[in-house]
Amino acid sequence: MNTLKIRRLLLASTVILNFLLAPLTAGAEVDVEDGKTLSPYFFVQSDDPDTDRLPLKSTDVNVKITGVIADVTVAQHYRNEGKRPLEARYVFPASSHAAVYAMQMHVGKRVLEAKIRGKQQARAEYEAAKSAGKSASLLEQERPNVFQMNVANVLPGDDIAVVLHYTETIVPTEGTYQFVYPAVVGPRYNGPAGSGSGVKGQWVQTPYLPSAVAPTSTFAIKVDLVSPIPLQTIASSTHDVDIKKPGRRHAVLDLPASTRNGNRDFMLDYRLAGKTIQTGTLLYRGEDESFFMTMIEPPARVTADAVVPREYVFIVDVSGSMNGFPLATAKTLLRNLVGNLRPIDTFNVMLFSGNNRVLAPQSLPANQANIDQAMAVINQQSGGGGTELLPALRTALAMDKADQRSRNFVVITDGYVTVEKEAFDLIRNNLNKANVFAFGIGSSVNRFLMEGLAHAGQGEAFIVTNGEEAKTAAATFKSYIESPVWTHLGLDIQGLDAYDVLPDRLPDLFAGRPLVIIGKWRGSEEGEISVSGITSMGKIRQTVTVGDGIISENAVALRYLWARGRIAELGDYSKLMGGVDDEAIRQITSLGLKYNLLTDYTSFIAIDTTVRTRREGGTVDQPSPLPQGVSELAVGAEVPSTPEPEFYAMMAMAVGVGAWLRHRGKAHGC
């Protein structure tokens, strides 16, 4: 870099920092109520040995997969290397399908079993224990895939471990099973109050390490996989793992501890021998309640003789968090999606960040000239600004729709927003206007948003982590939309005394992805479970005989999975635009307490009975690494357009430092 460029960058950074620091010196606070935003910020290590110590030392994950059920144990180790007691606060992700059913806290040789409580009661008990000088841990759910852990009164030299347990179902797609362990929460865009894109959740205002700084905590994972059918292939596309195969139906994977492993989701893909998906029924007989889960393979994919013309509106995120690798991957995806449309189709492209803009006022015929025009616009994009998803969806829904065409929205984003439920409700309230497909781009996608958008819009979600996957995902999407699906599904259960069956409404089925039915049963394990529907070849019916299923004492996970599914139906999509459904909140709380599950309204609390300190400590927000491939522009504000990449880095760092200084000023009453 030449001297003139360095001087310009230094001058720019000085001006930016003076601008950011001015409100702080005037005594202003960052407050959502003032129309400002709770935003992520860059962590800056203090030289004071009493403060800003990084307490999280390691995250160790142990996964046991039996058939289609994964049981996961996560151990987080905290150690205080400072000179005074501290409280550690840490925001971390989990699978959006996870049923978190237990937690323990290890203090020295003592193991304390956490209790499930109503969220407000758990918070009150935690604060009381913290004030009394007792060690305590509190696990709260901020989103179905975002948790916050608080650990109080970690004394100097203490090594405290918090262990949590969850289970989830692994449902195959096109014969491939995928287990995902989300490793880091991406920075969420949180717009000013009144913008429709912000929430008050303090978890959003969490610190991040600059991309060049390695985290101080390590991440390791071990997977033990046992399948009733011989394994054909097994591999991780995201991490270099050591794989051992003790037998044809057994594999053990090990990812050694490293500070560089935890900046992206861990993904494990495996296929079973043969071409058929494992179908049948798994049953668990409990003392008070018994549960079953049935998996039914869809009919074989067939080619339709006549396909109705379709309209595609590609809604593409070009915000700051998409800058770099995510946006480059999105461009690859779009080239493949738009480039493979049929001549009878029409399409449009909407780009959104802090505002939104469309390729054309109305959708265009998918001819070569229009496709070339769209490609030129897409190729010119660079990421910057906020992530105003709701205004983009509203604008797309308001666009004129051509008659006799099937309209499909294709949302492409990393999902780093805080308006998931508002987006779900917007889609559900406009089901007659468009189907919604979601493409999550990046190494640590907000899967809750992507899967929720697709669920609400009766579409499908796809996750893309690199350029090669973008091509494959585009081909899969094209194959899906060009092939008929199993529609107008009906469920018929004969001979088995089943009740509280989920889902309440069977969705249209994606060919190659089985239908999963879970519920409770009484009496003897007999009868048949049938699903009927319509394909392009006419009516079809598929039946599973319950007596051929497996009754297993190890299938206790079905208890938690059923409750998590019921909670999801009540909570993930119950909040309407007019207000919160109080009855749904009551039912979710009751289910969480009855089945010992973490929810939006229940939390896990563990308290040591021993008073360990009378000295007041400080609070440390444990910083997270930026997800791999995410630009530092995701932690900051909108930036001016400039051809100099060094300017973006300087601007991002300056905004991050300014946000951190505001955060520190507010904490100290400035």
Side-chain angles (χ1 to χ4, degrees), residues 45 48-58 76-88 106-107 135 151-161 216 612-613 615-620 622:
Q45 175 70 51
D48 183 349
D50 286 344
T51 60
D52 287 340
R53 314 309 293 173
L54 304 182
L56 180 67
K57 296 306 172 186
S58 65
Q76 296 171 337
H77 296 267
Y78 298 85
R79 186 165 63 250
N80 184 355
E81 297 178 343
K83 296 182 179 179
R84 65 172 180 169
L86 60 80
E87 176 191 27
H106 298 245
V107 183
S135 292
V151 184
N153 291 317
V154 184
L155 304 189
D158 265 359
D159 195 333
I160 290 180
T216 58
R612 307 189 65 229
T613 181
R615 185 184 177 191
E616 183 178 351
T619 298
V620 176
Q622 177 69 33

Side-chain angles (χ1 to χ4, degrees), residues 206-255:
T206 190
Y208 283 84
L209 296 170
S211 57
V213 177
T216 58
S217 63
T218 62
F219 171 78
I221 189 168
K222 184 175 183 178
V223 182
D224 192 313
L225 170 61
V226 178
S227 170
I229 299 174
L231 293 163
Q232 185 179 61
T233 61
I234 183 169
S236 172
S237 61
T238 57
H239 293 75
D240 293 327
V241 295
D242 178 44
I243 302 177
K244 293 183 174 61
K245 296 181 179 178
R248 296 179 62 202
R249 295 174 172 84
H250 187 197
V252 178
L253 294 85
D254 186 57
L255 177 68

Side-chain angles (χ1 to χ4, degrees), residues 363-591:
S363 291
L364 305 171
N367 56 42
Q368 193 58 51
N370 289 331
I371 290 175
D372 290 344
Q373 179 187 356
M375 289 296 97
V377 171
I378 292 166
N379 290 333
Q380 293 171 2
Q381 299 308 306
S382 61
T387 313
E388 294 286 355
L389 174 62
L390 289 180
L393 291 175
R394 293 191 186 105
T395 300
L397 287 166
M399 294 170 62
D400 291 338
K401 177 180 178 294
D403 293 335
Q404 308 303 319
R405 286 187 179 273
S406 170
R407 169 173 277 187
N408 301 275
F409 288 169
V410 182
V411 182
I412 302 175
T413 177
D414 52 20
Y416 293 163
V417 296
T418 59
V419 291
E420 294 99 334
K421 290 181 179 178
E422 291 84 350
F424 303 161
D425 294 334
L426 181 62
I427 296 300
R428 284 169 62 85
N429 292 339
N430 290 274
L431 280 178
N432 61 326
K433 294 185 178 180
N435 298 315
V436 179
F437 299 91
F439 281 84
I441 304 291
S443 60
S444 297
V445 172
N446 180 3
R447 292 171 182 264
F448 175 46
L449 176 72
M450 310 316 298
E451 293 166 0
L453 286 175
H455 180 95
Q458 297 182 327
E460 188 72 19
F462 302 84
I463 305 299
V464 181
T465 63
N466 56 54
E468 288 302 313
E469 286 185 6
K471 298 175 183 177
T472 303
T476 302
F477 176 74
K478 181 174 183 289
S479 177
Y480 171 49
I481 61 178
E482 287 183 351
S483 299
V485 293
W486 198 3
T487 64
H488 298 86
L489 270 65
L491 177 65
D492 183 27
I493 301 178
Q494 297 288 337
L496 180 70
D497 187 3
Y499 62 104
D500 287 348
V501 177
L502 300 175
D504 289 338
R505 179 182 59 84
L506 298 183
D508 289 351
L509 202 58
F510 171 31
R513 185 176 179 89
L515 179 67
V516 178
I517 301 163
I518 190 167
K520 301 178 184 178
W521 62 284
R522 293 177 289 244
S524 58
E525 56 281 358
E526 59 184 12
E528 293 181 338
I529 300 175
S530 300
V531 174
S532 59
I534 299 174
T535 71
S536 63
M537 307 299 291
K539 294 182 179 179
I540 191 171
R541 183 182 182 92
Q542 296 208 27
T543 300
V544 170
T545 301
V546 175
D548 294 337
I550 299 173
I551 299 180
S552 174
E553 295 181 357
N554 297 324
V556 64
L558 295 183
R559 184 175 187 271
Y560 305 122
L561 293 171
W562 175 86
R564 178 65 185 89
R566 180 62 180 145
I567 288 168
E569 291 204 343
L570 287 168
D572 293 353
Y573 314 106
S574 68
K575 178 175 172 291
L576 299 176
M577 300 303 285
V580 177
D581 186 338
D582 292 333
E583 176 60 20
I585 292 175
R586 187 194 66 77
Q587 291 187 46
I588 292 169
T589 303
S590 178
L591 286 165

Side-chain angles (χ1 to χ4, degrees), residues 78-391:
Y78 298 85
R79 186 165 63 250
N80 184 355
E81 297 178 343
K83 296 182 179 179
R84 65 172 180 169
L86 60 80
E87 176 191 27
R89 198 159 50 197
Y90 175 44
V91 174
F92 63 100
S95 166
S96 56
H97 303 292
V100 182
Y101 63 85
M103 186 181 87
Q104 299 90 29
M105 181 173 68
H106 298 245
V107 183
K109 295 182 179 180
R110 300 189 302 282
V111 179
L112 308 170
E113 192 72 32
K115 306 296 183 183
I116 194 75
R117 296 282 190 267
K119 193 167 191 175
Q120 292 182 350
Q121 180 184 349
R123 170 59 69 171
E125 291 181 9
Y126 173 81
E127 294 296 341
K130 175 183 170 183
S131 299
K134 300 176 182 179
S135 292
S137 59
L138 175 68
L139 180 65
E140 297 175 307
Q141 176 175 298
E142 303 294 348
R143 292 288 189 274
N145 66 335
V146 178
F147 302 154
Q148 177 168 294
M149 179 73 74
N150 287 59
V151 184
N153 291 317
V154 184
L155 304 189
D158 265 359
D159 195 333
I160 290 180
V162 180
V163 181
L164 61 99
H165 307 264
Y166 72 83
T167 187
E168 67 175 314
T169 306
I170 303 176
V171 180
T173 299
E174 298 288 345
T176 297
Y177 295 76
Q178 183 177 81
F179 169 77
V180 178
Y181 180 82
V184 62
V185 175
R188 298 294 197 262
Y189 170 73
N190 193 60
S195 68
S197 297
V199 297
K200 293 184 179 181
Q202 291 288 336
W203 69 271
V204 176
Q205 190 182 23
T206 190
Y208 283 84
L209 296 170
S211 57
V213 177
T216 58
S217 63
T218 62
F219 171 78
I221 189 168
K222 184 175 183 178
V223 182
D224 192 313
L225 170 61
V226 178
S227 170
I229 299 174
L231 293 163
Q232 185 179 61
T233 61
I234 183 169
S236 172
S237 61
T238 57
H239 293 75
D240 293 327
V241 295
D242 178 44
I243 302 177
K244 293 183 174 61
K245 296 181 179 178
R248 296 179 62 202
R249 295 174 172 84
H250 187 197
V252 178
L253 294 85
D254 186 57
L255 177 68
S258 167
T259 60
R260 290 297 186 185
N261 282 339
N263 66 345
R264 58 199 183 278
D265 294 351
F266 173 84
M267 295 165 53
L268 173 66
D269 297 296
Y270 58 97
R271 295 182 68 89
L272 305 181
K275 296 182 179 180
T276 60
I277 293 172
Q278 181 184 356
T279 62
T281 300
L282 178 65
L283 302 105
Y284 170 75
R285 186 185 291 276
E287 293 183 4
D288 301 321
E289 294 177 311
S290 298
F291 298 84
F292 75 92
M293 181 174 70
T294 296
M295 189 174 289
I296 296 180
E297 185 178 5
R301 187 191 303 274
V302 294
T303 302
D305 295 330
V307 180
V308 65
R310 291 177 168 89
E311 176 190 12
Y312 299 97
V313 180
F314 299 98
I315 304 171
V316 188
D317 182 356
V318 292
S319 66
S321 63
M322 290 287 288
N323 188 65
F325 146 74
L327 186 56
T329 304
K331 290 178 181 179
T332 301
L333 176 64
L334 273 168
R335 292 186 197 104
N336 286 276
L337 291 175
V338 177
N340 284 298
L341 295 178
R342 302 167 305 167
I344 62 172
D345 295 329
T346 60
F347 77 100
N348 212 332
V349 177
M350 172 181 289
L351 307 172
F352 75 93
S353 54
N355 51 26
N356 56 72
R357 52 201 183 278
V358 294
L359 176 67
Q362 292 183 326
S363 291
L364 305 171
N367 56 42
Q368 193 58 51
N370 289 331
I371 290 175
D372 290 344
Q373 179 187 356
M375 289 296 97
V377 171
I378 292 166
N379 290 333
Q380 293 171 2
Q381 299 308 306
S382 61
T387 313
E388 294 286 355
L389 174 62
L390 289 180

